[in-house]
Amino acid sequence: FLEMRLPLVMALLASLNAQSDTFVASAFLPASVLGFYFFASQIASQTSMLVANSLRSIFTAATARVRDDEEKSRASIRDVFSGSMVFMPLVSMAVPSIFDSFERALWQGKWAESRIPVLILSASLVYPVTLQLVAAPIAGVRNWTAAIRIDLLRALARIFPALIAGTSNSLLGNAPTNSGFVLAVSVGGALALKARGELSRILSHAGMPRHTIIYELYSTPLAALLSAVSAAGLAHSAAEPLRAVLGDRGAAGVECVIAGTVYSMLAVILLRFGYTATLERLVAALPEFMRTSARRLFVL
């Protein structure tokens, strides 16, 4: 029990990070607002959380093997950060690239007003999810104090913005969609800002140059955002003539497929030609049976 006391605190903080924003906001906002916000947040977070939860376990175990070597431990933090900042923006922004057309094909405009909150929340998740992955090596070397600090900051960045947004929306009497939008901007913005500051602090301590930190924090998220907007716009233009033939729902389905295909192609091109060195390191770190397939996929 004494050995597990700090990991148990981390488990408690993980549960606080799950739905504390919705729980706090529920004291001030009606179910219609919470449903709107909850829907947008769940849609935005599914792909990134699926990837992050899988990779965090792998990174923690991998770093645990080098916990006695301080330089290797710091190098593992730098590698996890670089790899996360390459892949997580592309994974996260895949959702808004297809959401508009997917929503029209499946729900026929029922959730159309959640398009902007989904975009905001998807973009704002990049830094928190990257921080979650960077926390894995920190837990792997049993630096429980730092790991607890990271999870505690993430919990506070959910609770206080939700409290402020819920109170202000309740006092102003905003419409449900406006209240959901304010809640998304408040919680998403606070999470992103807090995670960005914590990432800078951790990477500076791990020996990464400041200019490298700044470049990696902003380059891929901006490229992923532009790719998502471009893919969605191109797909909409290509599918628009089909509306008269296939109807709204059929044309939206075709648009969704085109948007997903174009975005995937742009992501692979960006990875292959924009981050070759990082990609080579990440592929080399894969299990041997996966390396050949990965090299073929990225034409390495």
Short mmCIF file of all heavy atoms in Angstrom, two decimals, residues 43-85:
data_model
loop_
_atom_site.label_atom_id
_atom_site.label_comp_id
_atom_site.label_asym_id
_atom_site.label_seq_id
_atom_site.Cartn_x
_atom_site.Cartn_y
_atom_site.Cartn_z
N ILE A 43 -17.09 13.78 -29.52
CA ILE A 43 -16.72 13.62 -30.92
C ILE A 43 -15.27 14.07 -31.14
O ILE A 43 -14.48 13.40 -31.82
CB ILE A 43 -17.66 14.43 -31.83
CG1 ILE A 43 -19.07 13.82 -31.84
CG2 ILE A 43 -17.11 14.53 -33.25
CD1 ILE A 43 -19.15 12.47 -32.53
N ALA A 44 -14.90 15.21 -30.56
CA ALA A 44 -13.56 15.76 -30.78
C ALA A 44 -12.47 14.90 -30.16
O ALA A 44 -11.34 14.84 -30.68
CB ALA A 44 -13.49 17.18 -30.20
N SER A 45 -12.77 14.21 -29.07
CA SER A 45 -11.71 13.55 -28.30
C SER A 45 -11.52 12.08 -28.62
O SER A 45 -10.51 11.49 -28.21
CB SER A 45 -12.01 13.69 -26.81
OG SER A 45 -13.19 12.98 -26.47
N GLN A 46 -12.43 11.44 -29.36
CA GLN A 46 -12.38 9.99 -29.49
C GLN A 46 -11.08 9.48 -30.11
O GLN A 46 -10.42 8.61 -29.57
CB GLN A 46 -13.58 9.49 -30.29
CG GLN A 46 -14.90 9.55 -29.55
CD GLN A 46 -14.83 8.89 -28.19
OE1 GLN A 46 -14.43 7.74 -28.04
NE2 GLN A 46 -15.22 9.65 -27.17
N THR A 47 -10.71 10.01 -31.28
CA THR A 47 -9.53 9.48 -31.96
C THR A 47 -8.25 9.76 -31.18
O THR A 47 -7.41 8.87 -31.00
CB THR A 47 -9.40 10.08 -33.37
OG1 THR A 47 -9.45 11.52 -33.27
CG2 THR A 47 -10.54 9.62 -34.26
N SER A 48 -8.09 11.00 -30.69
CA SER A 48 -6.85 11.34 -30.00
C SER A 48 -6.72 10.57 -28.69
O SER A 48 -5.63 10.11 -28.34
CB SER A 48 -6.78 12.85 -29.74
OG SER A 48 -7.92 13.29 -29.05
N MET A 49 -7.82 10.41 -27.96
CA MET A 49 -7.75 9.68 -26.69
C MET A 49 -7.49 8.20 -26.92
O MET A 49 -6.81 7.53 -26.14
CB MET A 49 -9.04 9.88 -25.90
CG MET A 49 -9.19 11.28 -25.35
SD MET A 49 -7.79 11.77 -24.32
CE MET A 49 -8.19 13.46 -23.97
N LEU A 50 -8.06 7.65 -28.01
CA LEU A 50 -7.81 6.25 -28.34
C LEU A 50 -6.32 6.01 -28.58
O LEU A 50 -5.72 5.07 -28.06
CB LEU A 50 -8.62 5.85 -29.58
CG LEU A 50 -8.41 4.43 -30.10
CD1 LEU A 50 -8.88 3.41 -29.07
CD2 LEU A 50 -9.14 4.23 -31.42
N VAL A 51 -5.72 6.89 -29.37
CA VAL A 51 -4.29 6.77 -29.66
C VAL A 51 -3.46 7.02 -28.40
O VAL A 51 -2.53 6.27 -28.08
CB VAL A 51 -3.89 7.74 -30.78
CG1 VAL A 51 -2.38 7.73 -30.98
CG2 VAL A 51 -4.60 7.38 -32.07
N ALA A 52 -3.81 8.08 -27.66
CA ALA A 52 -3.01 8.46 -26.49
C ALA A 52 -3.04 7.40 -25.40
O ALA A 52 -2.00 7.08 -24.81
CB ALA A 52 -3.51 9.79 -25.94
N ASN A 53 -4.20 6.85 -25.12
CA ASN A 53 -4.30 5.85 -24.06
C ASN A 53 -3.51 4.59 -24.40
O ASN A 53 -2.94 3.94 -23.51
CB ASN A 53 -5.77 5.50 -23.81
CG ASN A 53 -6.52 6.61 -23.13
OD1 ASN A 53 -5.94 7.44 -22.45
ND2 ASN A 53 -7.83 6.67 -23.32
N SER A 54 -3.46 4.25 -25.69
CA SER A 54 -2.68 3.08 -26.10
C SER A 54 -1.18 3.36 -25.98
O SER A 54 -0.43 2.55 -25.44
CB SER A 54 -3.03 2.70 -27.54
OG SER A 54 -4.42 2.45 -27.67
N LEU A 55 -0.77 4.52 -26.49
CA LEU A 55 0.66 4.82 -26.52
C LEU A 55 1.23 5.11 -25.14
O LEU A 55 2.40 4.84 -24.89
CB LEU A 55 0.92 6.03 -27.44
CG LEU A 55 0.67 5.80 -28.93
CD1 LEU A 55 0.94 7.09 -29.70
CD2 LEU A 55 1.55 4.68 -29.45
N ARG A 56 0.40 5.67 -24.25
CA ARG A 56 0.93 6.02 -22.92
C ARG A 56 1.42 4.78 -22.20
O ARG A 56 2.48 4.82 -21.56
CB ARG A 56 -0.15 6.73 -22.11
CG ARG A 56 0.36 7.15 -20.73
CD ARG A 56 -0.58 8.10 -20.03
NE ARG A 56 -0.04 8.48 -18.74
CZ ARG A 56 -0.52 9.45 -17.98
NH1 ARG A 56 -1.54 10.17 -18.39
NH2 ARG A 56 0.02 9.75 -16.82
N SER A 57 0.70 3.68 -22.30
CA SER A 57 1.13 2.45 -21.64
C SER A 57 2.45 1.96 -22.21
O SER A 57 3.34 1.50 -21.48
CB SER A 57 0.05 1.37 -21.80
OG SER A 57 -1.16 1.79 -21.23
N ILE A 58 2.60 2.06 -23.54
CA ILE A 58 3.83 1.63 -24.19
C ILE A 58 5.01 2.50 -23.76
O ILE A 58 6.09 2.00 -23.40
CB ILE A 58 3.67 1.66 -25.72
CG1 ILE A 58 2.59 0.67 -26.15
CG2 ILE A 58 4.98 1.34 -26.42
CD1 ILE A 58 2.20 0.78 -27.59
N PHE A 59 4.81 3.82 -23.77
CA PHE A 59 5.90 4.74 -23.42
C PHE A 59 6.33 4.57 -21.97
O PHE A 59 7.51 4.65 -21.65
CB PHE A 59 5.47 6.18 -23.67
CG PHE A 59 5.33 6.53 -25.13
CD1 PHE A 59 4.48 7.54 -25.52
CD2 PHE A 59 6.05 5.85 -26.10
CE1 PHE A 59 4.34 7.87 -26.87
CE2 PHE A 59 5.92 6.17 -27.44
CZ PHE A 59 5.07 7.19 -27.82
N THR A 60 5.36 4.36 -21.08
CA THR A 60 5.69 4.20 -19.66
C THR A 60 6.57 2.97 -19.46
O THR A 60 7.59 3.01 -18.76
CB THR A 60 4.41 4.07 -18.82
OG1 THR A 60 3.60 5.22 -19.02
CG2 THR A 60 4.75 3.94 -17.34
N ALA A 61 6.18 1.85 -20.09
CA ALA A 61 6.96 0.62 -19.95
C ALA A 61 8.34 0.75 -20.57
O ALA A 61 9.34 0.27 -20.01
CB ALA A 61 6.20 -0.53 -20.60
N ALA A 62 8.42 1.43 -21.72
CA ALA A 62 9.71 1.58 -22.40
C ALA A 62 10.67 2.44 -21.57
O ALA A 62 11.85 2.13 -21.46
CB ALA A 62 9.50 2.20 -23.78
N THR A 63 10.15 3.50 -20.98
CA THR A 63 11.01 4.39 -20.19
C THR A 63 11.43 3.75 -18.88
O THR A 63 12.50 4.04 -18.35
CB THR A 63 10.28 5.71 -19.90
OG1 THR A 63 9.72 6.21 -21.11
CG2 THR A 63 11.22 6.74 -19.33
N ALA A 64 10.59 2.87 -18.36
CA ALA A 64 10.93 2.21 -17.09
C ALA A 64 12.22 1.41 -17.21
O ALA A 64 12.94 1.23 -16.23
CB ALA A 64 9.79 1.30 -16.67
N ARG A 65 12.55 0.96 -18.41
CA ARG A 65 13.77 0.16 -18.61
C ARG A 65 15.04 1.00 -18.51
O ARG A 65 16.12 0.45 -18.33
CB ARG A 65 13.71 -0.55 -19.98
CG ARG A 65 12.60 -1.58 -20.09
CD ARG A 65 12.90 -2.54 -21.24
NE ARG A 65 12.89 -1.87 -22.52
CZ ARG A 65 11.83 -1.79 -23.32
NH1 ARG A 65 10.69 -2.33 -22.94
NH2 ARG A 65 11.91 -1.15 -24.48
N VAL A 66 14.91 2.32 -18.66
CA VAL A 66 16.12 3.17 -18.62
C VAL A 66 16.05 4.17 -17.46
O VAL A 66 16.71 5.20 -17.49
CB VAL A 66 16.31 3.92 -19.96
CG1 VAL A 66 16.56 2.94 -21.08
CG2 VAL A 66 15.11 4.81 -20.27
N ARG A 67 15.26 3.85 -16.45
CA ARG A 67 15.06 4.83 -15.37
C ARG A 67 16.33 5.10 -14.58
O ARG A 67 16.44 6.13 -13.92
CB ARG A 67 13.95 4.36 -14.43
CG ARG A 67 14.27 3.19 -13.56
CD ARG A 67 13.27 3.06 -12.40
NE ARG A 67 11.93 2.86 -12.86
CZ ARG A 67 11.31 1.67 -12.86
NH1 ARG A 67 11.96 0.59 -12.45
NH2 ARG A 67 10.08 1.55 -13.28
N ASP A 68 17.30 4.17 -14.63
CA ASP A 68 18.54 4.36 -13.88
C ASP A 68 19.55 5.23 -14.63
O ASP A 68 20.59 5.57 -14.08
CB ASP A 68 19.18 3.00 -13.56
CG ASP A 68 18.29 2.17 -12.65
OD1 ASP A 68 17.60 2.78 -11.80
OD2 ASP A 68 18.27 0.93 -12.80
N ASP A 69 19.27 5.57 -15.88
CA ASP A 69 20.16 6.39 -16.69
C ASP A 69 19.47 7.73 -16.94
O ASP A 69 18.54 7.82 -17.73
CB ASP A 69 20.47 5.69 -18.01
CG ASP A 69 21.57 6.40 -18.80
OD1 ASP A 69 21.60 7.65 -18.79
OD2 ASP A 69 22.39 5.71 -19.43
N GLU A 70 19.95 8.79 -16.27
CA GLU A 70 19.26 10.08 -16.34
C GLU A 70 19.26 10.65 -17.76
O GLU A 70 18.25 11.19 -18.21
CB GLU A 70 19.93 11.08 -15.39
CG GLU A 70 19.21 12.42 -15.33
CD GLU A 70 19.81 13.36 -14.31
OE1 GLU A 70 20.72 12.93 -13.56
OE2 GLU A 70 19.38 14.54 -14.27
N GLU A 71 20.37 10.50 -18.48
CA GLU A 71 20.44 11.07 -19.83
C GLU A 71 19.49 10.34 -20.78
O GLU A 71 18.81 10.96 -21.60
CB GLU A 71 21.87 10.98 -20.37
CG GLU A 71 22.05 11.59 -21.75
CD GLU A 71 21.47 13.00 -21.86
OE1 GLU A 71 21.64 13.80 -20.91
OE2 GLU A 71 20.83 13.30 -22.89
N LYS A 72 19.41 9.02 -20.66
CA LYS A 72 18.48 8.26 -21.50
C LYS A 72 17.03 8.59 -21.14
O LYS A 72 16.17 8.61 -22.01
CB LYS A 72 18.74 6.76 -21.36
CG LYS A 72 20.00 6.29 -22.06
CD LYS A 72 20.14 4.78 -21.98
CE LYS A 72 21.38 4.31 -22.73
NZ LYS A 72 21.55 2.84 -22.67
N SER A 73 16.77 8.83 -19.86
CA SER A 73 15.43 9.20 -19.44
C SER A 73 15.02 10.54 -20.05
O SER A 73 13.89 10.71 -20.54
CB SER A 73 15.35 9.28 -17.91
OG SER A 73 15.63 8.03 -17.32
N ARG A 74 15.94 11.50 -20.04
CA ARG A 74 15.66 12.80 -20.65
C ARG A 74 15.47 12.67 -22.17
O ARG A 74 14.61 13.32 -22.76
CB ARG A 74 16.79 13.79 -20.35
CG ARG A 74 16.85 14.22 -18.90
CD ARG A 74 17.92 15.28 -18.71
NE ARG A 74 17.91 15.82 -17.36
CZ ARG A 74 18.67 16.81 -16.94
NH1 ARG A 74 19.51 17.39 -17.79
NH2 ARG A 74 18.60 17.25 -15.70
N ALA A 75 16.31 11.82 -22.77
CA ALA A 75 16.18 11.61 -24.22
C ALA A 75 14.84 10.98 -24.56
O ALA A 75 14.23 11.32 -25.59
CB ALA A 75 17.32 10.72 -24.71
N SER A 76 14.34 10.09 -23.71
CA SER A 76 13.04 9.47 -23.97
C SER A 76 11.92 10.50 -23.90
O SER A 76 10.98 10.45 -24.70
CB SER A 76 12.78 8.34 -22.97
OG SER A 76 12.60 8.84 -21.66
N ILE A 77 12.03 11.46 -22.98
CA ILE A 77 11.03 12.53 -22.90
C ILE A 77 11.06 13.37 -24.18
O ILE A 77 10.01 13.71 -24.74
CB ILE A 77 11.29 13.41 -21.66
CG1 ILE A 77 11.01 12.61 -20.39
CG2 ILE A 77 10.41 14.66 -21.70
CD1 ILE A 77 11.35 13.35 -19.10
N ARG A 78 12.26 13.70 -24.65
CA ARG A 78 12.37 14.50 -25.88
C ARG A 78 11.81 13.75 -27.08
O ARG A 78 11.12 14.33 -27.92
CB ARG A 78 13.84 14.87 -26.12
CG ARG A 78 14.44 15.78 -25.05
CD ARG A 78 15.75 16.38 -25.52
NE ARG A 78 16.78 15.38 -25.77
CZ ARG A 78 17.66 14.97 -24.87
NH1 ARG A 78 17.65 15.47 -23.63
NH2 ARG A 78 18.58 14.08 -25.19
N ASP A 79 12.09 12.44 -27.17
CA ASP A 79 11.60 11.65 -28.30
C ASP A 79 10.09 11.50 -28.28
O ASP A 79 9.42 11.59 -29.32
CB ASP A 79 12.26 10.27 -28.30
CG ASP A 79 13.72 10.31 -28.70
OD1 ASP A 79 14.13 11.34 -29.28
OD2 ASP A 79 14.46 9.35 -28.41
N VAL A 80 9.53 11.28 -27.09
CA VAL A 80 8.08 11.16 -26.98
C VAL A 80 7.40 12.47 -27.37
O VAL A 80 6.39 12.49 -28.08
CB VAL A 80 7.67 10.75 -25.54
CG1 VAL A 80 6.16 10.88 -25.35
CG2 VAL A 80 8.10 9.31 -25.27
N PHE A 81 7.98 13.59 -26.93
CA PHE A 81 7.42 14.89 -27.28
C PHE A 81 7.46 15.11 -28.79
O PHE A 81 6.47 15.52 -29.41
CB PHE A 81 8.19 15.99 -26.57
CG PHE A 81 7.84 17.38 -27.03
CD1 PHE A 81 6.63 17.96 -26.71
CD2 PHE A 81 8.73 18.11 -27.83
CE1 PHE A 81 6.30 19.24 -27.14
CE2 PHE A 81 8.41 19.39 -28.26
CZ PHE A 81 7.19 19.95 -27.92
N SER A 82 8.62 14.86 -29.41
CA SER A 82 8.76 15.08 -30.85
C SER A 82 7.79 14.20 -31.64
O SER A 82 7.12 14.66 -32.57
CB SER A 82 10.20 14.79 -31.30
OG SER A 82 11.10 15.68 -30.68
N GLY A 83 7.71 12.93 -31.26
CA GLY A 83 6.79 12.03 -31.95
C GLY A 83 5.34 12.41 -31.75
O GLY A 83 4.53 12.36 -32.68
N SER A 84 5.00 12.82 -30.53
CA SER A 84 3.62 13.21 -30.24
C SER A 84 3.21 14.45 -31.00
O SER A 84 2.11 14.54 -31.54
CB SER A 84 3.45 13.46 -28.73
OG SER A 84 3.75 12.30 -27.99
N MET A 85 4.13 15.43 -31.09
CA MET A 85 3.80 16.67 -31.78
C MET A 85 3.77 16.50 -33.29
O MET A 85 3.27 17.36 -34.01
CB MET A 85 4.80 17.77 -31.42
CG MET A 85 4.59 18.36 -30.03
SD MET A 85 2.90 18.90 -29.69
CE MET A 85 2.62 20.11 -30.98
#
